[in-house]
Amino acid sequence: MGKLKSDYSVYVSFGGTKIRLPVNPEEIEIKYPTSHKTYDVLGKGEIIVPRKPSLNVVSWECFFPGNTGAPYVNGGAKAPDRYVKLFRNAWEKKQKCRLIIARSGLYDTNMRCIISDFETTDKGGEPKDVYYSVEFTEYRDYAPKTVSVITPPAASSEPVQISVEKEREVESPVLRVGAPVIVNGDYCYDSYGSKPHGTANNLRTTVTRIVTGNPYPVHVGSYGWVLESQLQIVG
């Protein structure tokens, strides 16, 4: 998460319309979340599987001034209703925008995004000003890549060139609580192997508990405790 208090300008491009915020927000919050996954793995305890960063989120609270000639208002400011219409229309229609934060002497932010939240508030004693809060969420293209096949002329002996999308990394399934499994063999009353009370034959269920150090460390469904070697993890 990053917070900003400095000399800067904020622009939002709505298709062919680009605006500069009439009043700079006092504080801008920028979140850089991740989608890493944690699992409880037999014999290792808790592990983390790193994944690509999640979508960035930028948000702030500010106001559109009714008095556009005030000294704290940026040049070229328009009436509040113009900004409200642009923001609200983009939010309702899920319009793709571009957010640009130009910082003086620091790094800039240039992010393709959508408006994921927008609210306005009227405050007593300030009838011409429109207070608002807005949240932008990063937008990433998700259309599948196409395969291009370039066929040379019939008389040519050159090989056909094929461009394909790079194969994505596939995560191997791990033994963890909640993992779907197929069970074969006897399941026991407790993790010490007491009183076997049932036999599984290609039983499809899930892992509900894992303990470390006991002879039968894995509990499945509502059945009982089994050996790790009795399990086949369903990918």
Side-chain angles (χ1 to χ4, degrees):
M1 179 188 299
K3 292 186 177 180
L4 169 70
K5 283 187 177 180
S6 62
D7 183 18
Y8 63 98
S9 296
V10 181
Y11 303 87
V12 184
S13 178
F14 302 93
T17 303
K18 182 178 179 181
I19 66 166
R20 181 187 183 188
L21 290 189
V23 176
N24 288 354
E26 181 180 350
E27 185 174 85
I28 295 178
E29 184 176 68
I30 305 177
K31 296 181 180 179
Y32 308 97
T34 61
S35 57
H36 303 326
K37 298 295 183 181
T38 57
Y39 300 103
D40 189 0
V41 178
L42 182 65
K44 292 187 177 181
E46 190 174 54
I47 66 169
I48 187 167
V49 178
R51 295 191 176 185
K52 291 183 177 181
S54 299
L55 301 175
N56 295 339
V57 178
V58 181
S59 60
W60 67 76
E61 296 180 359
C62 196
F63 69 98
F64 301 127
N67 180 9
T68 58
Y72 52 81
V73 178
N74 294 322
K78 307 297 181 183
D81 63 321
R82 170 173 170 78
Y83 300 104
V84 172
K85 288 178 181 178
L86 286 170
F87 276 74
R88 186 173 180 83
N89 183 67
W91 170 66
E92 290 178 344
K93 296 183 177 180
K94 301 179 178 64
Q95 179 182 1
K96 291 183 282 293
C97 312
R98 184 166 294 278
L99 173 64
I100 302 171
I101 304 174
R103 300 165 174 83
S104 177
L106 298 172
Y107 68 96
D108 292 340
T109 295
N110 190 324
M111 184 177 79
R112 195 180 185 197
C113 54
I114 62 169
I115 296 178
S116 48
D117 189 53
F118 178 66
E119 298 180 7
T120 60
T121 304
D122 294 326
K123 294 189 177 183
E126 302 176 61
K128 294 183 179 181
D129 296 337
V130 177
Y131 285 78
Y132 71 97
S133 62
V134 65
E135 179 184 82
F136 294 86
T137 300
E138 181 183 6
Y139 177 84
R140 295 176 186 168
D141 287 322
Y142 55 87
K145 295 183 179 179
T146 57
V147 176
S148 301
V149 179
I150 304 174
T151 305
S156 174
S157 60
E158 296 181 3
V160 177
Q161 300 180 21
I162 301 178
S163 175
V164 297
E165 182 180 1
K166 182 179 179 181
E167 182 179 354
R168 298 181 180 179
E169 181 179 351
V170 178
E171 296 179 3
S172 301
V174 295
L175 183 62
R176 58 181 176 80
V177 173
V181 292
I182 297 176
V183 187
N184 284 285
D186 293 337
Y187 47 86
C188 303
Y189 178 77
D190 57 30
S191 61
Y192 296 98
S194 303
K195 300 178 182 178
H197 65 284
T199 301
N201 184 17
N202 290 328
L203 173 65
R204 287 181 173 268
T205 182
T206 58
V207 175
T208 53
R209 289 184 60 189
I210 297 176
V211 298
T212 302
N214 291 357
Y216 291 79
V218 184
H219 191 277
V220 293
S222 58
Y223 299 95
W225 297 84
V226 297
L227 301 171
E228 183 182 357
S229 60
Q230 295 177 239
L231 302 177
Q232 176 186 344
I233 303 173
V234 181

